[in-house]
Amino acid sequence: MTNGRKGDVRPIMVAGNWKMNGLNADAEHLTQAILDAGLTPASPEVVLFPPFTLLPMVHQVAKGSSLRWGGQNLFWESHGAYTGEISGAMLRDHGCRYVLIGHSERRQIFQETDEIVLKKVKAALHSGLIPMVCIGESEQERLQGNTEEVLRRQVEAILPALGSAGQQANMVLAYEPIWAIGTGKTAGPEQAQEVHAFVRGLIAAKNPDIARKILLLYGGSVKANNAQSLFSQPDIDGGLVGGASLQAAEFLQICQAAHVVARGL
Ligand code: 13P
Protein backbone atom coordinates (compact mmCIF):
# COMPACT_ATOMS: atom_id res chain seq x y z
CA MET A 1 0.00 0.00 0.00
CA THR A 2 2.19 2.77 -1.29
CA ASN A 3 1.37 6.31 -0.31
CA GLY A 4 3.34 8.77 -2.40
CA ARG A 5 2.18 11.71 -0.30
CA LYS A 6 3.51 10.52 3.04
CA GLY A 7 4.69 14.00 4.05
CA ASP A 8 1.09 15.18 4.20
CA VAL A 9 0.13 12.72 6.88
CA ARG A 10 3.32 11.33 8.41
CA PRO A 11 6.31 13.24 9.80
CA ILE A 12 9.77 11.69 9.52
CA MET A 13 11.33 10.27 12.68
CA VAL A 14 14.88 9.28 13.56
CA ALA A 15 15.36 7.24 16.74
CA GLY A 16 18.61 6.20 18.37
CA ASN A 17 18.70 2.94 20.33
CA TRP A 18 21.80 3.09 22.50
CA LYS A 19 21.23 -0.50 23.70
CA MET A 20 23.46 -1.36 26.71
CA ASN A 21 26.05 1.34 26.05
CA GLY A 22 27.18 4.51 27.74
CA LEU A 23 27.79 6.16 31.08
CA ASN A 24 26.56 9.52 32.32
CA ALA A 25 29.34 11.48 30.61
CA ASP A 26 28.54 9.85 27.25
CA ALA A 27 24.83 10.58 27.62
CA GLU A 28 25.51 14.20 28.49
CA HIS A 29 27.87 14.64 25.53
CA LEU A 30 25.62 12.92 22.97
CA THR A 31 22.43 14.64 24.06
CA GLN A 32 24.09 18.05 24.19
CA ALA A 33 25.65 17.53 20.75
CA ILE A 34 22.22 16.76 19.28
CA LEU A 35 20.70 19.82 20.94
CA ASP A 36 23.58 22.02 19.76
CA ALA A 37 22.86 20.97 16.18
CA GLY A 38 19.64 22.99 16.52
CA LEU A 39 17.23 20.48 15.03
CA THR A 40 13.82 21.97 14.41
CA PRO A 41 10.82 20.35 16.08
CA ALA A 42 9.04 19.36 12.91
CA SER A 43 11.46 17.45 10.77
CA PRO A 44 12.67 15.03 11.77
CA GLU A 45 11.32 14.16 15.20
CA VAL A 46 14.37 12.78 17.05
CA VAL A 47 13.91 10.21 19.82
CA LEU A 48 16.67 8.76 22.02
CA PHE A 49 16.48 5.40 23.76
CA PRO A 50 19.22 5.39 26.42
CA PRO A 51 19.63 2.63 29.02
CA PHE A 52 17.44 3.22 32.11
CA THR A 53 20.40 4.50 34.16
CA LEU A 54 20.98 7.36 31.71
CA LEU A 55 17.38 8.58 31.53
CA PRO A 56 17.88 11.15 34.34
CA MET A 57 20.86 12.66 32.47
CA VAL A 58 19.01 12.81 29.13
CA HIS A 59 16.00 14.26 30.94
CA GLN A 60 18.14 16.90 32.64
CA VAL A 61 19.95 17.95 29.45
CA ALA A 62 17.01 17.79 27.00
CA LYS A 63 14.14 18.97 29.19
CA GLY A 64 12.08 21.65 27.46
CA SER A 65 13.63 20.96 24.04
CA SER A 66 12.00 19.32 21.00
CA LEU A 67 14.08 16.17 21.56
CA ARG A 68 12.12 13.13 22.78
CA TRP A 69 13.31 10.06 24.63
CA GLY A 70 12.10 6.75 25.95
CA GLY A 71 12.94 3.50 27.73
CA GLN A 72 14.23 0.42 25.93
CA ASN A 73 11.76 -1.84 27.71
CA LEU A 74 9.10 -1.85 30.44
CA PHE A 75 7.18 -4.37 32.54
CA TRP A 76 3.42 -4.74 32.11
CA GLU A 77 2.52 -4.40 35.79
CA SER A 78 2.31 -0.93 37.32
CA HIS A 79 4.24 -1.66 40.55
CA GLY A 80 4.99 -4.39 43.08
CA ALA A 81 7.31 -7.30 43.76
CA TYR A 82 8.97 -7.60 40.32
CA THR A 83 12.66 -7.30 41.11
CA GLY A 84 14.66 -5.71 38.33
CA GLU A 85 11.69 -4.44 36.35
CA ILE A 86 10.62 -0.89 35.38
CA SER A 87 7.05 0.33 34.95
CA GLY A 88 5.51 2.74 32.48
CA ALA A 89 4.86 5.27 35.25
CA MET A 90 8.54 5.17 36.20
CA LEU A 91 9.47 5.98 32.60
CA ARG A 92 6.96 8.82 32.52
CA ASP A 93 8.51 10.11 35.73
CA HIS A 94 11.76 10.57 33.77
CA GLY A 95 10.11 12.51 30.98
CA CYS A 96 9.81 9.58 28.58
CA ARG A 97 7.27 9.89 25.81
CA TYR A 98 8.16 6.60 24.07
CA VAL A 99 9.14 3.04 24.95
CA LEU A 100 10.74 0.38 22.75
CA ILE A 101 8.91 -2.94 22.86
CA GLY A 102 9.75 -6.30 21.34
CA HIS A 103 13.21 -5.51 20.03
CA SER A 104 14.62 -8.66 18.43
CA GLU A 105 17.32 -8.79 21.10
CA ARG A 106 14.58 -9.04 23.72
CA ARG A 107 12.64 -11.57 21.69
CA GLN A 108 15.74 -13.72 21.13
CA ILE A 109 17.82 -13.33 24.29
CA PHE A 110 15.01 -12.80 26.81
CA GLN A 111 12.40 -15.03 25.16
CA GLU A 112 9.79 -12.31 24.75
CA THR A 113 6.83 -13.79 22.90
CA ASP A 114 4.12 -12.06 20.87
CA GLU A 115 1.82 -12.40 23.92
CA ILE A 116 4.34 -10.61 26.13
CA VAL A 117 4.80 -7.91 23.50
CA LEU A 118 1.04 -7.26 23.43
CA LYS A 119 0.88 -7.06 27.23
CA LYS A 120 3.71 -4.54 27.21
CA VAL A 121 2.12 -2.49 24.42
CA LYS A 122 -1.14 -2.29 26.40
CA ALA A 123 0.75 -1.34 29.58
CA ALA A 124 2.66 1.38 27.73
CA LEU A 125 -0.54 2.86 26.28
CA HIS A 126 -2.17 2.69 29.68
CA SER A 127 0.72 4.73 31.13
CA GLY A 128 0.45 7.36 28.39
CA LEU A 129 3.58 6.21 26.53
CA ILE A 130 3.84 5.67 22.78
CA PRO A 131 5.11 2.15 22.11
CA MET A 132 7.68 1.72 19.35
CA VAL A 133 7.19 -1.93 18.50
CA CYS A 134 9.97 -3.78 16.69
CA ILE A 135 9.27 -6.56 14.21
CA GLY A 136 11.49 -8.44 11.80
CA GLU A 137 12.53 -11.80 10.44
CA SER A 138 15.75 -13.74 11.00
CA GLU A 139 18.10 -14.65 8.17
CA GLN A 140 16.89 -18.25 8.25
CA GLU A 141 13.24 -17.20 8.10
CA ARG A 142 13.99 -15.00 5.08
CA LEU A 143 15.95 -17.73 3.31
CA GLN A 144 13.08 -20.15 3.88
CA GLY A 145 10.67 -17.67 2.30
CA ASN A 146 8.84 -17.03 5.57
CA THR A 147 9.37 -13.28 5.90
CA GLU A 148 5.74 -12.33 5.28
CA GLU A 149 4.40 -15.06 7.53
CA VAL A 150 6.64 -13.95 10.44
CA LEU A 151 5.71 -10.30 9.99
CA ARG A 152 2.02 -11.13 9.72
CA ARG A 153 2.20 -13.01 13.02
CA GLN A 154 4.10 -10.21 14.77
CA VAL A 155 1.84 -7.44 13.43
CA GLU A 156 -1.42 -9.29 14.04
CA ALA A 157 -0.33 -9.91 17.63
CA ILE A 158 -0.39 -6.19 18.39
CA LEU A 159 -3.40 -5.18 16.27
CA PRO A 160 -5.79 -5.52 19.25
CA ALA A 161 -4.03 -2.51 20.81
CA LEU A 162 -4.16 -0.34 17.67
CA GLY A 163 -6.08 2.95 17.99
CA SER A 164 -9.43 3.65 16.37
CA ALA A 165 -10.06 5.38 13.06
CA GLY A 166 -10.23 9.15 13.36
CA GLN A 167 -7.55 9.18 16.06
CA GLN A 168 -3.81 9.67 15.71
CA ALA A 169 -1.79 6.45 15.49
CA ASN A 170 -1.09 5.35 19.06
CA MET A 171 2.12 3.47 18.27
CA VAL A 172 5.12 3.40 15.95
CA LEU A 173 6.41 0.25 14.25
CA ALA A 174 10.04 -0.43 13.42
CA TYR A 175 10.87 -3.07 10.84
CA GLU A 176 14.27 -4.44 11.78
CA PRO A 177 15.35 -7.51 9.80
CA ILE A 178 17.50 -9.41 12.29
CA TRP A 179 20.12 -10.22 9.66
CA ALA A 180 20.70 -6.49 9.17
CA ILE A 181 21.16 -5.57 12.84
CA GLY A 182 24.75 -4.72 13.71
CA THR A 183 26.02 -6.61 10.68
CA GLY A 184 26.62 -3.77 8.23
CA LYS A 185 24.21 -5.55 5.85
CA THR A 186 21.25 -3.30 5.12
CA ALA A 187 18.08 -4.23 3.35
CA GLY A 188 18.23 -2.39 0.04
CA PRO A 189 15.82 0.56 -0.18
CA GLU A 190 13.49 -1.27 -2.58
CA GLN A 191 13.66 -4.48 -0.56
CA ALA A 192 12.82 -2.57 2.65
CA GLN A 193 10.07 -0.62 0.87
CA GLU A 194 8.45 -3.86 -0.26
CA VAL A 195 8.28 -5.10 3.33
CA HIS A 196 7.03 -1.75 4.65
CA ALA A 197 4.26 -1.71 2.06
CA PHE A 198 3.32 -5.24 3.12
CA VAL A 199 3.22 -4.24 6.81
CA ARG A 200 1.16 -1.13 6.06
CA GLY A 201 -1.21 -3.37 4.13
CA LEU A 202 -1.62 -5.64 7.16
CA ILE A 203 -2.60 -2.63 9.25
CA ALA A 204 -4.88 -1.31 6.51
CA ALA A 205 -6.82 -4.57 6.54
CA LYS A 206 -7.81 -3.73 10.13
CA ASN A 207 -7.88 0.06 9.95
CA PRO A 208 -7.10 1.97 6.71
CA ASP A 209 -7.15 5.36 8.42
CA ILE A 210 -4.51 4.39 11.01
CA ALA A 211 -2.49 2.61 8.29
CA ARG A 212 -2.13 5.95 6.50
CA LYS A 213 -1.03 7.71 9.67
CA ILE A 214 1.18 5.18 11.45
CA LEU A 215 4.96 5.67 11.26
CA LEU A 216 6.90 2.66 9.99
CA LEU A 217 10.62 3.05 10.69
CA TYR A 218 13.38 0.95 9.18
CA GLY A 219 16.21 -0.37 11.40
CA GLY A 220 19.29 -2.45 10.69
CA SER A 221 22.68 -0.90 9.89
CA VAL A 222 21.25 2.53 9.08
CA LYS A 223 24.25 4.82 8.48
CA ALA A 224 24.83 8.32 7.13
CA ASN A 225 25.57 6.90 3.67
CA ASN A 226 22.33 4.89 3.25
CA ALA A 227 19.81 6.91 5.30
CA GLN A 228 18.58 9.19 2.55
CA SER A 229 17.88 6.42 0.04
CA LEU A 230 15.98 4.43 2.68
CA PHE A 231 13.98 7.37 4.04
CA SER A 232 13.01 8.46 0.51
CA GLN A 233 10.94 5.32 0.03
CA PRO A 234 7.20 6.00 0.17
CA ASP A 235 6.42 3.70 3.10
CA ILE A 236 9.62 4.25 5.11
CA ASP A 237 9.01 7.04 7.60
CA GLY A 238 12.48 7.24 9.15
CA GLY A 239 14.91 5.02 10.98
CA LEU A 240 15.69 3.24 14.23
CA VAL A 241 19.45 3.48 14.50
CA GLY A 242 21.66 1.33 16.72
CA GLY A 243 25.46 1.57 16.45
CA ALA A 244 25.51 4.81 14.46
CA SER A 245 23.42 6.56 17.14
CA LEU A 246 26.36 6.35 19.56
CA GLN A 247 28.47 8.74 17.48
CA ALA A 248 27.10 12.26 17.50
CA ALA A 249 28.48 13.25 14.07
CA GLU A 250 27.18 10.14 12.31
CA PHE A 251 23.79 10.30 14.03
CA LEU A 252 23.41 13.97 13.13
CA GLN A 253 24.18 13.20 9.49
CA ILE A 254 21.37 10.65 9.56
CA CYS A 255 19.05 13.30 11.05
CA GLN A 256 20.19 15.67 8.33
CA ALA A 257 19.33 13.07 5.66
CA ALA A 258 15.85 12.79 7.18
CA HIS A 259 15.54 16.57 7.14
CA VAL A 260 16.43 16.68 3.43
CA VAL A 261 13.86 13.99 2.65
CA ALA A 262 11.20 15.75 4.74
CA ARG A 263 11.76 19.02 2.93
CA GLY A 264 11.38 17.30 -0.42
CA LEU A 265 8.04 15.73 0.43
P1 13P B 1 22.31 -1.27 14.14
O1 13P B 1 21.96 0.09 13.57
O2 13P B 1 23.54 -1.25 14.98
O3 13P B 1 22.33 -2.31 13.07
O4 13P B 1 21.13 -1.68 15.15
C1 13P B 1 19.82 -1.60 14.74
C2 13P B 1 18.94 -1.77 15.93
O5 13P B 1 18.84 -2.86 16.48
C3 13P B 1 18.21 -0.60 16.44
O6 13P B 1 17.23 -0.97 17.35
Side-chain angles (χ1 to χ4, degrees):
M1 183 190 152
T2 296
N3 182 343
R5 291 159 31 98
K6 69 177 179 181
D8 293 349
V9 276
R10 303 192 298 274
I12 288 208
M13 179 181 282
V14 177
N17 176 7
W18 296 359
K19 307 193 179 183
M20 196 176 74
N21 293 292
L23 301 175
N24 272 311
D26 305 303
E28 184 175 17
H29 166 77
L30 257 173
T31 311
Q32 193 59 56
I34 294 164
L35 290 178
D36 289 347
L39 299 165
T40 55
S43 54
E45 179 162 350
V46 179
V47 186
L48 303 179
F49 291 100
F52 294 138
T53 52
L54 301 183
L55 285 171
M57 177 59 83
V58 172
H59 190 184
Q60 183 189 315
V61 176
K63 197 171 182 175
S65 75
S66 62
L67 201 57
R68 303 286 173 240
W69 58 95
Q72 295 176 12
N73 183 27
L74 87 171
F75 191 53
W76 58 77
E77 294 291 349
S78 61
H79 63 278
Y82 304 105
T83 303
E85 295 296 324
I86 295 281
S87 73
M90 291 171 181
L91 294 177
R92 287 289 304 254
D93 201 28
H94 285 283
C96 291
R97 185 170 293 197
Y98 291 89
V99 61
L100 273 184
I101 297 178
H103 191 281
S104 62
E105 287 147 19
R106 297 218 56 90
R107 293 182 191 255
Q108 290 193 315
I109 305 170
F110 302 99
Q111 282 81 46
E112 289 196 3
T113 61
D114 289 330
E115 291 70 34
I116 288 177
V117 168
L118 177 61
K119 281 169 101 165
K120 290 188 171 188
V121 168
K122 286 182 173 169
L125 292 169
H126 189 72
S127 312
L129 291 161
I130 301 172
M132 185 179 290
V133 185
C134 303
I135 56 174
E137 81 287 1
S138 66
E139 182 152 43
Q140 197 187 7
E141 287 162 341
R142 175 164 279 265
L143 292 175
Q144 289 171 345
N146 292 336
T147 300
E148 293 196 348
E149 185 189 320
V150 170
L151 294 171
R152 180 185 299 278
R153 197 198 68 227
Q154 292 175 339
V155 171
E156 286 184 350
I158 51 167
L159 286 183
L162 198 69
S164 325
Q167 297 178 339
Q168 286 307 307
N170 59 358
M171 60 180 87
V172 175
L173 295 194
Y175 167 58
E176 299 205 306
I178 297 169
W179 47 270
I181 295 179
T183 58
K185 287 194 229 169
T186 325
E190 289 81 19
Q191 189 183 17
Q193 161 59 25
E194 200 178 304
V195 175
H196 279 235
F198 173 73
V199 170
R200 203 177 295 284
L202 292 174
I203 299 165
K206 158 127 184 180
N207 189 329
D209 180 47
I210 296 291
R212 256 180 352 104
K213 295 176 185 163
I214 195 166
L215 298 190
L216 303 184
L217 309 188
Y218 169 80
S221 297
V222 175
K223 309 282 179 215
N225 63 9
N226 58 24
Q228 196 172 334
S229 59
L230 285 160
F231 301 167
S232 304
Q233 296 296 319
D235 287 293
I236 300 182
D237 305 314
L240 177 55
V241 185
S245 72
L246 296 170
Q247 297 146 16
E250 177 94 8
F251 186 66
L252 285 167
Q253 282 181 56
I254 295 170
C255 295
Q256 181 58 27
H259 184 64
V260 168
V261 172
R263 280 169 56 115
L265 289 173

